[in-house]
């Protein structure tokens, strides 16, 4: 049984689709029952689990031979770092109790760095907690992904309305790696079913077919929407206030600020000379084209 945590996310859905196409038995783990309905229609077993509860996670792991684990950054949480660390601890306890033959953990570029990287620092903690599981009973795969292309969805409405794409990537011509969620999920499914691999620990990095800068992103958005959009460097002293206005808690905003400080300093990248490097095939234009109908849809206003 292939057990996929975070099934309702973009990566989880792509992994499940690939595994089902290959005829593999899949258990989709979700938090709420209604999230499981599409997976049941695909022929998946569906399990409910609270990622903060090790007993709940352990129950979802029963009979698992391969597991894809995701510990998401909690949205709207006033203390996201504490909450995510608690989820990682709960998952680690459950996986120690029921170690699968293959465990793939979704991680981030820069996870090799212990501190000073904001959200990515939490993926370092995830990797550190899981590495002792790698051994004769479990093959551990740490799948480090570049920044997801879908992250630009958050600022698309404002960019389309104003013609300016605010960027925390400084300077605007700095090229950075990015990747489509479907490429991460598809690669994850391939790694989970790779019977030829025998190393107890595999560190795998994945990014898209080409690196981009903020000007490229704005140009692709212009082409996809048919509206003129130019990249704008969001001033560093405006980051926190902007993130708070977007609905993030102070703790979450600080994690984002620290992340982009590290990004702009050149610290968030592939760990040189370590592990395997893969490249997805999905272009930024394909991702933007898929979400554009929703981005352009008129938003409801209060009368």
């Amino acid at each position: 049984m292939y057990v996929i945590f975070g099934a309702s996310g973009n990566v989880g859905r792509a992994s499940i689709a690939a595994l089902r196409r290959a005829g593999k038995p899949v258990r989709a783990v979700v938090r709420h029952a209604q999230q499981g309905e599409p997976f049941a229609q695909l022929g998946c077993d569906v399990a409910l689990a609270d990622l903060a509860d090790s007993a709940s996670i352990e129950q979802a792991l029963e009979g698992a031979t391969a597991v894809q684990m995701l510990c998401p950054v909690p949205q709207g949480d006033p203390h996201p770092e504490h909450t995510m660390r608690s989820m990682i601890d709960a998952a680690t306890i459950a996986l120690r109790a029921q170690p699968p033959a293959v465990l793939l953990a979704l991680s981030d570029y820069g996870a090799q760095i212990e501190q000073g990287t904001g959200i990515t620092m939490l993926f370092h903690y995830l990797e550190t907690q899981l590495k002792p599981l790698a051994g004769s009973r479990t093959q551990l795969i740490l799948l480090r992904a570049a920044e997801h292309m879908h992250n630009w969805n958050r600022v698309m409405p404002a960019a389309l309305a104003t013609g300016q794409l605010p960027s925390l990537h400084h300077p605007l011509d700095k090229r950075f790696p990015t990747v489509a969620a479907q490429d991460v999920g598809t690669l994850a499914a391939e790694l989970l079913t790779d019977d030829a691999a025998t190393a107890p620990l595999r560190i795998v990095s994945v990014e898209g077919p080409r690196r981009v800068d903020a000007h490229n992103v704005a140009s692709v958005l212009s082409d996809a929407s048919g509206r003129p959009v130019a990249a704008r460097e969001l001033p560093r002293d405006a980051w926190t206030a902007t993130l708070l206005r977007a609905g993030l808690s102070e703790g979450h905003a600080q994690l984002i600020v620290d992340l982009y400080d590290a990004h702009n300093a050149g610290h968030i990248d592939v760990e040189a000379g370590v592990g395997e490097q893969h490249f997805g095939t999905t272009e930024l234009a394909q991702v933007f084209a898929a979400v554009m109908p929703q981005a352009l849809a008129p938003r409801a206003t209060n009368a």
Side-chain angles (χ1 to χ4, degrees), residues 182-205:
Q182 57 262 42
D183 285 348
V184 180
T186 300
L187 175 60
E190 293 173 2
L191 294 170
L192 285 170
T193 56
D194 183 4
D195 296 330
T198 58
L201 174 63
R202 297 176 70 184
I203 297 177
V204 182
S205 300

Side-chain angles (χ1 to χ4, degrees), residues 212-303:
V212 300
D213 61 30
H215 292 302
N216 298 143
V217 177
S219 177
V220 171
L221 183 55
S222 291
D223 292 342
S225 64
R227 300 181 182 181
V229 178
R232 177 175 68 88
E233 192 173 285
L234 189 66
R236 172 64 175 75
D237 59 8
W239 288 5
T240 299
T242 301
L243 294 168
L244 293 175
R245 285 197 300 272
L248 274 64
S249 66
E250 289 187 9
H252 198 165
Q254 189 59 55
L255 289 174
I256 296 291
V257 168
D258 290 346
L259 169 64
Y260 279 92
D261 278 340
H263 236 308
N264 294 337
H267 300 317
I268 306 298
D269 211 323
V270 177
E271 185 176 8
V274 174
E276 311 162 34
Q277 177 73 54
H278 290 255
F279 297 91
T281 59
T282 305
E283 299 281 0
L284 186 63
Q286 294 171 266
V287 173
F288 281 11
V291 302
M292 196 50 54
Q294 182 179 357
L296 291 172
R299 294 178 177 270
T301 58
N302 295 326

Side-chain angles (χ1 to χ4, degrees), residues 31-267:
R31 184 168 185 136
H32 304 291
Q34 63 268 29
Q35 294 173 321
E37 294 174 5
F39 303 114
Q41 294 174 6
L42 288 175
C44 299
D45 182 25
V46 176
L48 302 183
D50 179 355
L51 291 180
D53 178 23
S54 59
S56 176
I57 297 171
E58 190 173 338
Q59 187 174 10
L61 287 170
E62 289 184 5
T65 54
V67 174
Q68 181 167 306
M69 179 57 65
L70 168 69
C71 289
V73 179
Q75 301 294 318
D77 191 306
H79 306 291
E81 181 175 351
H82 172 77
T83 301
M84 187 170 169
R85 285 179 181 269
S86 296
M87 287 192 294
I88 293 169
D89 291 341
T92 302
I93 291 170
L95 289 162
R96 285 173 180 163
Q98 294 207 57
V102 181
L103 170 61
L104 183 146
L106 296 169
S107 187
D108 266 10
Y109 271 27
Q112 70 274 13
I113 303 172
E114 183 175 357
Q115 58 187 0
T117 57
I119 287 172
T120 301
M121 176 180 62
L122 300 174
F123 289 96
H124 175 83
Y125 181 71
L126 171 68
E127 292 190 4
T128 300
Q129 294 301 101
L130 294 182
K131 278 182 178 178
L133 292 172
S136 59
R137 295 183 63 186
T138 297
Q139 179 190 67
L140 174 63
I141 305 169
L142 301 176
L143 179 52
R144 296 173 178 170
E147 178 180 313
H148 284 203
M149 296 176 182
H150 284 85
N151 288 355
W152 290 98
N153 293 7
R154 303 166 186 165
V155 296
M156 270 189 192
L160 294 174
T162 64
Q164 293 188 326
L165 179 74
S167 176
L168 276 64
H169 284 285
H170 294 181
L172 295 177
D173 60 357
K174 176 181 70 69
R175 299 184 72 79
F176 56 90
T178 185
V179 68
Q182 57 262 42
D183 285 348
V184 180
T186 300
L187 175 60
E190 293 173 2
L191 294 170
L192 285 170
T193 56
D194 183 4
D195 296 330
T198 58
L201 174 63
R202 297 176 70 184
I203 297 177
V204 182
S205 300
V206 59
E207 61 184 79
R210 68 195 76 254
R211 295 195 169 194
V212 300
D213 61 30
H215 292 302
N216 298 143
V217 177
S219 177
V220 171
L221 183 55
S222 291
D223 292 342
S225 64
R227 300 181 182 181
V229 178
R232 177 175 68 88
E233 192 173 285
L234 189 66
R236 172 64 175 75
D237 59 8
W239 288 5
T240 299
T242 301
L243 294 168
L244 293 175
R245 285 197 300 272
L248 274 64
S249 66
E250 289 187 9
H252 198 165
Q254 189 59 55
L255 289 174
I256 296 291
V257 168
D258 290 346
L259 169 64
Y260 279 92
D261 278 340
H263 236 308
N264 294 337
H267 300 317

